Amino acid sequence: MRRRVLSVAIATAAVTAGAAVPAAQADIAQSAVVSQNPVNTTPNVTDGTVRAIAVVGSKVVVAGNFDHVKNAGSSTTIARHNIFAFDAKTGKVDTKFVPKVDGTVYALQPGASSTVYVGGSFTNTNGVGLGSLTRLSVTTGKAVSGFNARIGHGLVFTMVRRGSHVYIGGEFTKVGGKAHAPLARVDATTGKDTGLNLSVTTPRSGALKVYRLAVDPADKHLVIDGTFTQVAGKRRYQIAMINTSGTPTLSSWATERYATPCSSSFDTYMRGIDFAPDGSYFVVVTTGAPHGTTQLCDSAARWETNKTGAGQNPTWVNWTGGDTLLSVSVTGKAVYVGGHQRWMDNPQGHDSAGPGAVSRPGIAALNPSGGKALSWNPTRTRGHGVETLVATSSGLYVGSDTDELGHEYHGRIGEFPLS
């Protein structure tokens, strides 16, 4: 049987109506490593890039920058500009959820009452100027009345919802119409700023931005990365931890391991972050070109959440030997990483397979304890790389800009079910 997947790998065998809505990317503890064989029912995004996925009840919302979608096994093209939804069980594209946004969507998060939060570079939603963060009904595609964060002068790159809080990061300069750092926490119902007012300043290169963020499931720790070199007036070079209980404060946790230079092509070489399901550690992935083991360019690294103080070092590091990692999802049994890598376990590689390197094109699973690559190796065409990995209770979704998964055509979304 031909295995069909979108450039977004979906890790869910099937989500039934009324299923629990995952609050964010760090909540799912899986009992095993997902199957290497993707399902054949997911729809096909045939152009552009899938950058975000969210499961809301029985629906899967997919977003990025694209214009054309097809149901699995169909030759009929369906017009969908940068966002659409499909039924998690059948894979059929939803005909009622057809919102209009006038820019790229970079971030999605499931909301309560069959809603989804949408962030990106757009300013208009369904013809109304709601800014670059909006909340939509997954049933109708309409904006939810009463939610208006008024994110101005910039875009939203990254987002995590924790209960009544929605954390956002990007290049924006205003929240609620007032000047603000490119990091905020807004009320999940109203969109109003809830007082995450720490300064984020002094970009190492290019524009000031928070590129990715992650929040532990208990909503006690927030980790951010980006172009900044100072947070709350303290040196925090491209990465910082913030205590979110009560009034948010900058944690004493700090590292200089991301202060060394990688390729000058990047304003920041930081990429994905994800917490373990129990919140005890988080994993950071990077780009940056091969620079050996003294720097954390083109690597995945595990960091312990409960550590405090300066001079922190990772528990383990896995280097690709010169290829970008873009995304990460931690499930307890595995650390899934995606990008356009050719190898893992390759600390001595310089765009080559060094001693001990293992082939893992585009996607890999690492051992959470020691960081070495697991045997799981579905492969995918590399392209720019896997942009998003989203674990669910029944599998792993993958989204990217290429069409091949496991040496077969799958559009730009894929789903690896739990075995």
Side-chain angles (χ1 to χ4, degrees):
M1 179 184 292
R2 195 181 189 190
R3 295 172 295 172
R4 186 177 300 274
V5 191
L6 296 152
S7 247
V8 192
I10 305 171
T12 331
V15 181
T16 57
V21 177
Q25 82 271 33
D27 297 343
I28 302 300
Q30 294 180 342
S31 60
V33 177
V34 297
S35 172
Q36 290 189 160
N37 185 24
V39 304
N40 62 359
T41 56
T42 51
N44 300 311
V45 174
T46 61
D47 62 345
T49 302
V50 171
R51 300 181 182 276
I53 303 168
V55 179
V56 183
S58 63
K59 302 287 182 66
V60 180
V61 183
V62 178
N65 54 290
F66 50 78
D67 289 297
H68 302 102
V69 182
K70 293 180 180 179
N71 283 313
S74 173
S75 60
T76 302
T77 297
I78 303 170
R80 289 292 186 273
H81 183 63
N82 296 348
I83 187 168
F84 75 101
F86 67 91
D87 185 277
K89 184 175 182 179
T90 67
K92 297 298 183 183
V93 174
D94 192 313
T95 59
K96 295 180 180 179
F97 181 78
V98 193
K100 305 294 183 183
V101 292
D102 60 349
T104 298
V105 176
Y106 290 102
L108 297 171
Q109 281 287 283
S113 303
S114 297
T115 63
V116 63
Y117 298 91
V118 183
S121 64
F122 54 88
T123 56
N124 294 295
T125 301
N126 298 328
V128 179
L130 297 177
S132 53
L133 176 64
T134 190
R135 184 185 183 191
L136 302 176
S137 165
V138 175
T139 303
T140 66
K142 296 181 179 180
V144 175
S145 177
F147 183 88
N148 190 354
R150 298 169 63 197
I151 307 299
H153 297 269
L155 53 79
V156 173
F157 274 129
T158 181
M159 173 168 49
V160 169
R161 176 189 165 224
R162 285 284 177 252
S164 63
H165 296 148
V166 178
Y167 294 86
I168 57 172
E171 285 186 19
F172 52 85
T173 59
K174 290 186 176 182
V175 177
K178 297 180 180 180
H180 206 285
L183 172 69
R185 185 179 67 184
V186 301
D187 184 88
T189 300
T190 65
K192 292 183 178 180
D193 186 4
T194 63
L196 178 53
N197 294 322
L198 300 181
S199 63
V200 179
T201 63
T202 321
R204 63 187 290 272
S205 178
L208 178 65
K209 68 183 177 186
V210 172
Y211 188 67
R212 289 289 183 263
L213 63 79
V215 184
D216 69 336
D219 195 2
K220 293 182 178 180
H221 303 284
L222 161 67
V223 177
I224 62 174
D225 70 28
T227 61
F228 57 86
T229 60
Q230 290 195 353
V231 176
K234 304 289 186 180
R235 179 178 168 88
R236 295 292 188 272
Y237 206 97
Q238 296 194 103
I239 188 168
M241 181 185 291
I242 295 165
N243 300 317
T244 55
S245 297
T247 301
T249 58
L250 180 67
S251 169
S252 67
W253 184 96
T255 183
E256 289 293 302
R257 293 299 303 274
Y258 295 110
T260 55
C262 291
S263 170
S264 60
S265 300
F266 306 105
D267 56 3
T268 176
Y269 55 85
M270 309 299 287
R271 292 298 182 258
I273 316 170
D274 194 26
F275 273 96
D278 64 1
S280 63
Y281 66 92
F282 58 95
V283 176
V284 178
V285 297
T286 64
T287 184
H291 287 273
T293 59
T294 59
Q295 294 161 277
L296 297 185
C297 320
D298 289 334
S299 71
R302 169 175 166 163
W303 302 86
E304 305 307 312
T305 307
N306 64 356
K307 298 289 187 179
T308 57
Q312 296 299 319
N313 285 298
T315 305
W316 53 252
V317 183
N318 192 315
W319 284 272
T320 67
D323 292 326
T324 296
L325 294 176
L326 295 169
S327 52
V328 57
S329 181
V330 184
T331 66
K333 288 295 184 180
V335 175
Y336 297 99
V337 295
H340 64 243
Q341 78 274 18
R342 289 163 285 182
W343 309 281
M344 299 302 301
D345 299 351
N346 195 24
Q348 302 304 321
H350 293 268
D351 284 321
S352 61
V358 295
S359 177
R360 293 293 186 271
I363 191 168
L366 310 181
N367 186 314
S369 297
K372 292 290 187 181
L374 300 174
S375 61
W376 187 80
N377 187 23
T379 77
R380 71 165 304 108
T381 44
R382 293 167 60 232
H384 176 67
V386 172
E387 293 279 350
T388 186
L389 293 163
V390 177
T392 73
S393 59
S394 54
L396 179 72
Y397 286 100
V398 180
S400 75
D401 65 335
T402 53
D403 295 328
E404 184 182 278
L405 188 66
H407 303 293
E408 297 183 10
Y409 176 77
H410 289 290
R412 286 171 167 75
I413 299 177
E415 175 184 358
F416 295 107
L418 279 170
S419 301

